Amino acid sequence: MTTVPLLVEAKGLTKTFRARQSLFGRRRDILAVRDVDLSVGGQEAVGVVGESGCGKSTLGRLLLHLLAPTAGTVRFDGQDLAALGSDQRRRLRRRMQLIFQDPFGSLDPRRTVGNQIADGMLIHGLATDAQAREAVGDLLEQVGLEPTHATRLPHEFSGGQRQRIAVARALATQPDFIVADEPVSALDVSIQAQVVNLLADLRQRLGLSLLFISHDLHVVRHLCDRVAVMYLGRVVETGPAAALFEAPAHPYTQALLAATPSLARRRDTGRPPLSGDLPSPSDPPSGCSFRTRCPHANSDCAAAVPPLEPWASDGHRVACWRAAEIA
Amino acid sequence: MAWRGTRRLAVPFLVVGGIIAVALAAPVLPLGDPVTIDVSARLTPPSAAHWLGQDEYGRDVLTRIVWGARASLAVSFLAAAIAGVFGIILGLLGGYFRGVVEILTVRSAEAVLCFPPLLLALLVLTLLGPGAGTLIVALSILYAPTYARVAYAETLAARNLDYVVAQEALGARSGRILARTVLPNVAPPLLVQFSLTVASAMVLESGLSFLGLGVVPPEPSWGLMIRGARSTMDQAPWLLLWPCLALTGTIVALNLLCDALRDVLDPRGRNVTANPFRALTGNLLSRTSPPQVSKPELLRVDGLTLEIAAEGGAIRPVRDVSLSVAPGETLAVVGESGSGKTLTGLAVMGLLPPVVEIVSGEVHYTDRTGHTYDLMRLDDAAMRGLRGDEIAMVFQDPSSSLNPVHRVGDQVAEAIRAHRNVSAAEAWRQAVGLLDQVGLPDAARRARAFPHELSGGQQQRAVIAAAIANGPRLLIADEPTTALDVTIQAQILALMAGLKHQSGGMGMIFVTHNLAVVSEIADRVAVMYIGEVVEEGPVDQVFATPRHPYTIALIESVPEGDDDRLSAIPGTVPPLHDLPPGCRFAPRCGFAEAACTTADPPLERIDGKRSTRCRRWRELA
């Protein structure tokens, strides 16, 4: 994995949102993303998994610099995104795109899908109006729709078709890197499979790098080369998808896998579901964030944040003080 | 849609257009001179020569109404338009960029709102001197901040919508995003604001002219006419009537026009229309005495068909659905969106939305005392008695099923007191016990919490506590874990499985789209596709040896295998108003043959426990 030239490289990425609890309450910092190192190689698909509130969507937007990080850097193809002027960064946006979760919210309800797909090309001056119109037809065909659909409005399409349109819009600028934020979560299973296949095909055919954000471990395992598991703003385990899902080292990853319902096995009564809720990201526990729900936690876990350290196989890293004992 | 929109626009557009046209055409119309005085004929009632009569100086009132419209409309439209342009620009910029820009634009504009409007207008007019031009300036300054506020609020809401962020991600310049994406989507309330402003400007113009600060006499305006008519109200009350009618009529027409415009500009037309008469006939189903059921079933749904009256003809989102639940049994109803699984659950609860009409079907329920009756023919009061007592429901989104302004303990206690005569204190004690039973940590203290103080999982526990408060015999759960994270979902599933064992004999209908969840929680499963049950049977058997191509395809599309490609069902679910002939799944089915596309396949029994709606099921084995 280390030999792949890096396309996106984030170091020490941290994002803190300021929020006020009530009108006169004190301000609280919400630690959405904390000290995350993450890289995506050329043509690599990296999955980010975790439950709601773990900071995975924020991480995706930080990598695209749609949010400015509180600390840390993001390099895209060697260039520090924060150091670029807004005009240079705007031009770089041609090469990085975003696909959203909600196919009903991500398209402008008042403009035809053709116009929306053509936007990217026109904004970046990649095509004239006539060329763009032709390219829109091609793009619609690429994602399995008809060129004649270009003149329709978003509400005339089903959820799965809209997500295809969103994919076509992202592809219009011929990007190198796409952040897909839960792109199939809002879709029915049969449609979900269509869109996952589409993303896999396009990735192969166009040599895209992909950051695939999802809470569905099955889909991530299916689509991604590498996976990062997030909990309360931090990456707690990362590694090649196969190794990580076969032999998860972090107790949270283990719990997540155990909790994921599966057709293949009915839940064995052996492992009780993880107790408790995600702690508040404005007041995370000291030391290891997971210790309040971890069945293996002891007093050491509260003392310091465990570093993300190399684990069994190549590229597999885990942030757990007791990983060796648990294994 | 286009013609429908045009027709809606036509009437108000013609009226407003007519008013404007008449005002514009005033110089060429065969009218007299609006300022020619004929004192001898002052206050003459309407006559053939002067249709609306003559005023206190003997001037023709009709002429003055038409000429006055020019001043009144010009002032109000121009003022509303100028205020709109400036206000919208300020609001868009302030809402989109926030920070310093917001202070410079919206906040500073709001300072204007601190002055009483009339006082402010008087101030400007005093400084610049009276006249129609000054009036426009004054009214523009007065109304711009209101636009700014509306535009600002709408922009704030819109700027974080996915499709706006998408434009940013595409690398569009802020100006382009504001003009192409934000503005069209914040326009509808601004259109309404425009109509309100024109109306309000017209009234204020009249008022200021009435005070002698607007249009200068003898030039006519509706405000001046009202002012003039006031002094002769005793002798000629009709003089007051005409300008007032003109004013009111124009404002009403304008409001209608802007409303229609707003609807037409919304590309998402309304498809489903409720037909009150159909709903009425639905209740007139024959109230025959229900046949007695001998089997020890808790619930048996027989041939349930639901209909919604839509524009292109009635659609049937649920068709000939039969299900049964035995005491202590969990039936999963699984299907994709639009399969009718939720409506089936709501029909059993008697909670169908008014647009849905029950065409046929019986829902036999056996209550605690062993009586069996058809829920479809139960009156509202009896159904209310069952709901929350014998039959309870848990919905998908816990945050919207709980009332945000009441403590969760009170909401559980309320569920108890709705059906049992206990004191408030006793109900509260029981509520705390229930919250403890569903695993809410520190229940005695958390019962005092408001819903927003609980996490999603805890909220769903509270909802379940309220549902089981009266020891229901049937629990209908509609996607109860879909909004939750997997670790929390596992907790809630374990809780629901546990409840079934504890309460001994509680049957459950578990509506979900997640096959894996079905395999964890259910005893039997009914697979639904476009309103029909296509396969039904014990979970283990159905998942191990599915006997309907749709079930097979659904199972295969779950991304659990190691195959390189997921197996997806080709095509999309056909819309209810355009269903294929014969088997509804045939166009997407790999096994379909000619016969499948001609006749509806019946629900066939496979052995004692299973059934399928596929004519070729024997070949699937």
Side-chain angles (χ1 to χ4, degrees), chain A residues 236-308:
Chain A
V236 295
E237 185 169 5
T238 177
L244 190 139
F245 285 121
E246 282 312 318
H250 197 283
Y252 178 62
T253 316
Q254 293 168 357
L256 209 52
L257 281 167
T260 304
S262 161
L263 267 187
R265 54 166 176 86
R266 295 190 83 150
R267 190 193 309 289
D268 36 9
T269 45
R271 204 197 297 259
L274 203 57
S275 64
D277 287 297
L278 202 67
S280 161
S282 62
D283 187 20
S286 66
C288 173
S289 304
F290 186 58
R291 68 179 169 82
T292 52
R293 299 172 77 191
C294 180
H296 308 286
N298 63 19
S299 56
D300 294 348
C301 298
V305 178
L308 198 58

Side-chain angles (χ1 to χ4, degrees), chain A residues 18-305:
Chain A
R18 313 214 79 181
R20 211 192 288 239
Q21 286 237 307
S22 63
L23 190 58
F24 300 106
R26 63 196 174 96
R27 276 177 181 276
R28 288 191 147 204
D29 284 348
I30 294 169
L31 310 164
V33 171
R34 296 189 283 165
D35 197 20
V36 167
D37 294 345
L38 189 80
S39 61
V40 182
Q43 308 193 13
E44 191 184 28
V46 175
V48 177
V49 298
E51 298 178 282
S52 47
C54 74
K56 54 191 194 299
S57 288
T58 306
L59 178 65
R61 281 162 173 71
L62 286 172
L63 291 185
L64 296 177
H65 207 86
L66 286 171
L67 286 174
T70 312
T73 56
V74 180
R75 291 182 170 277
F76 183 85
D77 210 2
Q79 306 179 71
D80 183 349
L81 288 180
L84 290 177
S86 69
D87 229 36
Q88 284 169 300
R89 193 161 54 226
R90 217 173 46 73
R91 274 198 290 277
L92 210 55
R93 294 218 177 280
R94 181 189 74 71
R95 299 181 53 196
M96 39 171 133
Q97 286 300 321
L98 177 61
I99 299 172
F100 297 84
Q101 167 171 2
D102 175 13
F104 292 89
S106 66
L107 297 174
D108 186 339
R110 291 167 191 279
R111 297 177 60 214
T112 64
V113 303
N115 281 340
Q116 297 194 54
I117 294 172
D119 270 346
M121 290 180 267
L122 299 176
I123 289 167
H124 292 284
L126 302 176
T128 63
D129 276 1
Q131 288 167 331
R133 216 169 303 132
E134 202 169 307
V136 165
D138 290 345
L139 283 162
L140 283 170
E141 276 186 340
Q142 268 194 43
V143 297
L145 297 170
E146 303 286 328
T148 50
H149 288 160
T151 54
R152 298 201 193 161
L153 287 165
H155 74 270
E156 297 173 59
F157 296 91
S158 69
Q161 289 173 320
R162 282 159 163 255
Q163 205 56 300
R164 288 167 184 272
I165 293 164
V167 172
R169 177 176 63 184
L171 292 178
T173 59
Q174 298 167 350
D176 304 308
F177 176 51
I178 289 183
V179 172
D181 188 357
E182 304 256 15
V184 298
S185 305
L187 306 177
D188 280 318
V189 277
S190 72
I191 307 300
Q192 179 176 321
Q194 290 178 4
V195 175
V196 169
N197 283 340
L198 173 69
L199 285 173
D201 286 350
L202 291 172
R203 195 186 139 222
Q204 289 271 309
R205 195 142 44 89
L206 306 174
L208 292 171
S209 298
L210 194 63
L211 187 85
F212 190 87
I213 299 168
S214 179
H215 66 270
D216 187 331
L217 300 182
H218 294 304
V219 173
V220 168
R221 179 178 197 169
H222 183 84
L223 196 67
C224 298
D225 307 313
R226 222 147 45 79
V227 180
V229 182
M230 286 186 76
Y231 188 78
L232 223 58
R234 290 186 196 279
V235 172
V236 295
E237 185 169 5
T238 177
L244 190 139
F245 285 121
E246 282 312 318
H250 197 283
Y252 178 62
T253 316
Q254 293 168 357
L256 209 52
L257 281 167
T260 304
S262 161
L263 267 187
R265 54 166 176 86
R266 295 190 83 150
R267 190 193 309 289
D268 36 9
T269 45
R271 204 197 297 259
L274 203 57
S275 64
D277 287 297
L278 202 67
S280 161
S282 62
D283 187 20
S286 66
C288 173
S289 304
F290 186 58
R291 68 179 169 82
T292 52
R293 299 172 77 191
C294 180
H296 308 286
N298 63 19
S299 56
D300 294 348
C301 298
V305 178

Side-chain angles (χ1 to χ4, degrees), chain B residues 44-122:
Chain B
T44 321
S47 63
H50 303 280
W51 292 354
L52 302 183
Q54 284 163 286
D55 71 1
E56 72 271 24
Y57 295 114
R59 296 172 296 201
D60 179 47
V61 172
L62 181 62
T63 312
R64 286 184 66 80
I65 289 270
V66 173
W67 280 92
R70 290 168 71 90
S72 294
L73 292 179
V75 167
S76 52
F77 270 88
L78 277 176
I82 295 171
V85 170
F86 284 104
I88 290 168
I89 291 174
L90 292 180
L92 280 177
L93 293 177
Y96 189 76
F97 292 105
R98 308 292 309 271
V100 184
V101 183
E102 180 184 326
I103 294 172
L104 285 177
T105 55
V106 184
R107 299 295 166 216
S108 55
E110 277 172 357
V112 173
L113 291 175
C114 299
F115 297 94
L118 200 60
L119 198 68
L120 190 75
L122 287 174

Side-chain angles (χ1 to χ4, degrees), chain B residues 171-524:
Chain B
R173 288 176 196 279
S174 304
R176 183 190 168 101
I177 299 178
L178 281 174
R180 290 253 191 129
T181 307
V182 179
L183 184 58
N185 282 292
V186 303
L190 290 170
L191 269 175
V192 175
Q193 184 63 33
F194 178 77
S195 77
L196 291 175
T197 307
V198 169
S200 154
M202 235 177 244
V203 173
L204 205 55
E205 180 275 325
S206 304
L208 289 168
S209 297
F210 176 79
L211 291 175
L213 290 166
V215 179
V216 187
E219 210 57 39
S221 96
W222 293 345
L224 283 176
M225 294 179 70
I226 296 172
R227 177 191 185 187
R230 193 192 57 120
S231 52
T232 57
M233 210 156 54
D234 306 336
Q235 299 126 292
W238 60 87
L239 287 183
L240 202 55
L241 184 67
W242 306 131
C244 287
L245 269 184
L247 193 63
T248 320
T250 310
I251 290 169
V252 169
L254 199 67
N255 284 352
L256 288 176
L257 177 68
C258 284
D259 274 6
L261 206 59
R262 184 198 53 196
D263 290 349
V264 169
L265 286 181
D266 191 339
R268 295 151 296 190
R270 282 173 52 192
N271 292 322
V272 180
T273 44
N275 185 337
F277 299 106
R278 300 197 69 123
L280 208 68
T281 52
N283 284 333
L284 296 176
L285 280 171
S286 60
R287 290 178 185 257
T288 51
S289 67
Q292 290 297 310
V293 184
S294 51
K295 275 189 270 176
E297 276 173 338
L298 182 61
L299 181 84
R300 189 161 56 84
V301 179
D302 261 337
L304 180 71
T305 299
L306 304 177
E307 194 169 272
I308 298 175
E311 229 165 59
I315 54 170
R316 297 195 161 174
V318 170
R319 186 177 157 272
D320 191 21
V321 164
S322 300
L323 302 167
S324 69
V325 184
E329 184 183 54
T330 298
L331 170 75
V333 179
V334 67
E336 301 182 276
S337 35
S339 62
K341 56 190 193 297
T342 294
L343 278 181
T344 306
L346 290 176
V348 174
M349 281 301 278
L351 288 176
L352 285 174
V355 292
V356 182
E357 183 204 332
I358 300 157
V359 177
S360 63
E362 291 165 358
V363 179
H364 297 288
Y365 175 75
T366 310
D367 70 5
R368 283 196 189 99
T369 57
H371 285 95
T372 298
Y373 32 76
D374 185 355
L375 296 184
M376 295 288 108
R377 283 166 188 80
L378 222 53
D379 61 40
D380 284 352
M383 197 66 221
R384 236 187 342 266
L386 285 179
R387 268 203 299 266
D389 182 22
E390 293 236 353
I391 309 178
M393 189 151 190
V394 174
F395 294 93
Q396 170 170 349
D397 184 0
S399 60
S400 58
S401 342
L402 290 170
N403 187 333
V405 300
H406 292 301
R407 299 179 194 281
V408 291
D410 283 330
Q411 299 191 45
V412 178
E414 191 188 356
I416 298 170
R417 297 190 75 194
H419 293 280
R420 278 183 283 149
N421 192 11
V422 293
S423 71
E426 170 61 16
W428 177 268
R429 203 187 54 74
Q430 290 183 13
V432 171
L434 283 161
L435 288 170
D436 189 50
Q437 189 192 344
V438 297
L440 192 72
D442 197 5
R445 198 171 58 82
R446 291 294 179 88
R448 307 201 67 81
F450 288 99
H452 73 270
E453 295 171 311
L454 303 180
S455 70
Q458 291 170 341
Q459 287 176 0
Q460 196 62 300
R461 286 177 192 274
V463 171
I464 292 172
I468 62 165
N470 295 304
R473 303 183 59 249
L474 177 65
L475 182 67
I476 300 175
D478 187 0
E479 304 254 16
T481 61
T482 305
L484 306 174
D485 281 314
V486 278
T487 58
I488 310 300
Q489 167 172 288
Q491 293 173 8
I492 299 291
L493 288 179
L495 166 67
M496 298 187 81
L499 282 179
K500 207 174 67 176
H501 294 302
Q502 284 169 29
S503 60
M506 181 177 81
M508 188 150 66
I509 297 180
F510 195 100
V511 177
T512 181
H513 68 280
N514 190 325
L515 291 177
V517 167
V518 172
S519 80
E520 297 218 347
I521 189 111
D523 304 307
R524 282 190 312 118

